[in-house]
Amino acid sequence: MKIALSTPGKFHTFDLARELYARDALATLFTGYPKFKLKNEGLPQELLNTFPWVQGPYMALATKLPLPKKVIQEWENFAAISFGAFVAQNLPECDLYVGLSGSALPAGKKAHQLGAKFVCDRGSAHIRIQDQLLREEHEQWGLPYAGIDPRAIEREEAEYSEADCITVPSQFALNSFQELGLPANKLHLLPYGVSLSKFEKIAEPDISRFDILFVGAMSLQKGVQYLVQAYQKLNQASKSLTFVGAQSSEIIILLKSRGIWSDEIRILGHIPQHELKNLMSRSHVLVLPSIQDGFGMVMAQAMACGCPVVASANTGGQDLFDDGQEGYVVPIRDVDSLADRLQRLADDPEQRMVMGQRSLVRVKSFGGWRDYGENAMRIYKELVS
């Protein structure tokens, strides 16, 4: 079986490509990255088909320049359309085409013309559910929300319709598609592999303190507005809350205006992975209270460092650990539930240590990218048989 892949960036598609190549099943990989950025990806250059002329400048400039949102939206739309057209024009003979959602429709149609199957690979919730959740959140907190481009929603829903199969990484994402009426036999749960070679327990938390860690972009989508409120409710003499990742002055100003930001909160920004595993090892809990998150990889990384996790139900946490065993799963937007779980961990150091030990054991049972490749191939073989 020969399989063609496409992704505007890298994402997990490159991990999938390596697994398919190891099984002699990779026909080609289309990407918006330039070839000089792909020399260390462990894939033969002749199997890489690049179209960097729109996506490349976007990645290099759009997030760094103070461009109007309308300009960025038009750039994103043109990048998706031009990349999708390039893939369709150059799609080789294959048994199966797997395209990351958003730019896969033209090649999906071309695959069907060539007699191949089309898999739409979606890394998050159904795009309408994603847009709905984010719109509700911005309205609730009084921040402007441009919304997902209607053209992007239209493209994705056309992909869902055209595809023979839709793969998603978490039960939360799967449920969102079922909620909007997509047939169950078209949906396949395909959790990402977890590469933990760079994460391990290298230190112990300070038993005289209670240190909370958040890793990710500071945004309403990530639910930081609920974490800071839960932190304020926490009854603990020596406590801390640390943010790692891209910070947002807009979010900080908003939370300060609501009186729910504490000046004792630490903001570290981006840090190297070797420092991150040290911080995870020394933290008593990692919290990921996202409003919507396809699959929060930082949860598995924290567990590999012996750090229990408290996550919202919309993160893929339920696919990684059992509620009350290695950590806790709470509803989105539920400050009281989040504060309660943090208080339990703060009040019961012995139980917290047990959860950390269980996390280490659970991590060893996680499937790596090899298992991800095996699961993907099983889905693909059933589809083409």
Side-chain angles (χ1 to χ4, degrees), residues 161 185 245 329 385:
S161 177
N185 61 0
V329 177
S385 63

Side-chain angles (χ1 to χ4, degrees), residues 5-19 29-33 37-38 41 43 55 58-59 63 76 79-80 83 98-103 121-124 130 156 169 192-193 195 293 295 297 369 372:
L5 307 177
S6 75
T7 174
K10 286 187 179 179
F11 309 109
H12 61 281
T13 307
F14 272 72
D15 296 290
L16 175 59
R18 283 185 284 271
E19 295 303 321
L29 168 59
F30 295 94
T31 177
Y33 263 63
K37 287 274 192 179
L38 306 174
E41 292 297 328
L43 293 165
Q55 187 70 19
Y58 172 81
M59 292 185 291
T63 58
E76 290 174 342
F83 179 71
V98 182
L100 195 66
S101 67
S103 59
D121 185 15
R122 171 68 175 165
S124 192
Q130 179 184 17
E156 288 234 3
Y192 300 145
S195 179
D293 222 328
F295 191 85
M297 203 72 75
W369 288 108
Y372 174 81

Side-chain angles (χ1 to χ4, degrees), residues 20 55 116 118 121 162 214 243 259 261 286 294 325 328 332 359 365 368-369 372:
L20 296 183
Q55 187 70 19
F118 168 36
D121 185 15
E162 182 76 23
F214 172 90
F243 282 89
W261 180 267
L286 176 127
Q325 296 300 308
Y328 292 111
I332 61 170
S359 293
S365 71
W369 288 108
Y372 174 81

Side-chain angles (χ1 to χ4, degrees), residues 12 96-105 108 117-123 155-168 177 182 186-188 190 380 383:
H12 61 281
L96 190 80
Y97 162 62
V98 182
L100 195 66
S101 67
S103 59
L105 183 61
K117 298 292 185 178
F118 168 36
V119 174
C120 175
D121 185 15
R122 171 68 175 165
R155 276 198 307 274
E156 288 234 3
E157 291 193 314
E159 289 171 353
Y160 304 161
S161 177
E162 182 76 23
D164 300 289
C165 164
I166 302 168
T167 54
V168 293
F177 278 85
L182 274 83
K186 194 172 189 175
L187 303 170
H188 289 272
L190 184 59
Y380 303 158
L383 197 59

Side-chain angles (χ1 to χ4, degrees), residues 236-382:
Q236 178 73 14
S238 298
K239 63 180 182 179
S240 73
L241 173 57
T242 300
F243 282 89
V244 173
Q247 68 179 39
S248 168
S249 57
E250 181 183 43
I251 295 297
I252 295 174
I253 291 171
L254 169 67
L255 299 182
K256 282 184 175 181
S257 71
R258 300 286 185 96
I260 56 176
W261 180 267
S262 172
D263 289 334
E264 69 186 36
I265 294 174
R266 294 195 304 163
I267 303 174
L268 300 184
H270 295 287
I271 63 174
Q273 281 195 337
H274 70 274
E275 292 183 23
L276 180 57
K277 71 177 178 180
N278 180 57
L279 191 56
M280 286 178 166
S281 296
R282 293 182 182 277
S283 297
H284 296 90
V285 61
L286 176 127
V287 182
L288 187 64
S290 303
I291 303 306
Q292 87 86 35
D293 222 328
F295 191 85
M297 203 72 75
V298 295
M299 296 184 291
Q301 294 167 351
M303 292 171 68
C305 297
C307 181
V309 174
V310 177
S312 79
N314 291 9
T315 60
Q318 291 158 307
D319 299 279
L320 289 173
F321 61 88
D322 294 324
D323 182 31
Q325 296 300 308
E326 298 85 7
Y328 292 111
V329 177
V330 298
I332 61 170
R333 304 186 176 115
D334 193 333
V335 174
D336 289 339
S337 291
L338 183 53
D340 173 75
R341 302 313 187 273
L342 293 177
Q343 195 67 58
R344 291 188 199 182
L345 291 170
D347 290 343
D348 194 345
E350 185 176 343
Q351 176 64 15
R352 189 177 66 235
M353 291 175 62
V354 169
M355 282 189 163
Q357 292 166 357
R358 288 173 178 164
S359 293
L360 289 171
V361 173
R362 187 65 177 264
V363 158
K364 294 178 181 179
S365 71
F366 289 171
W369 288 108
R370 180 175 296 180
D371 287 352
Y372 174 81
E374 287 295 328
N375 293 331
M377 285 296 292
R378 184 173 62 253
I379 292 171
Y380 303 158
K381 285 177 181 177
E382 289 177 359

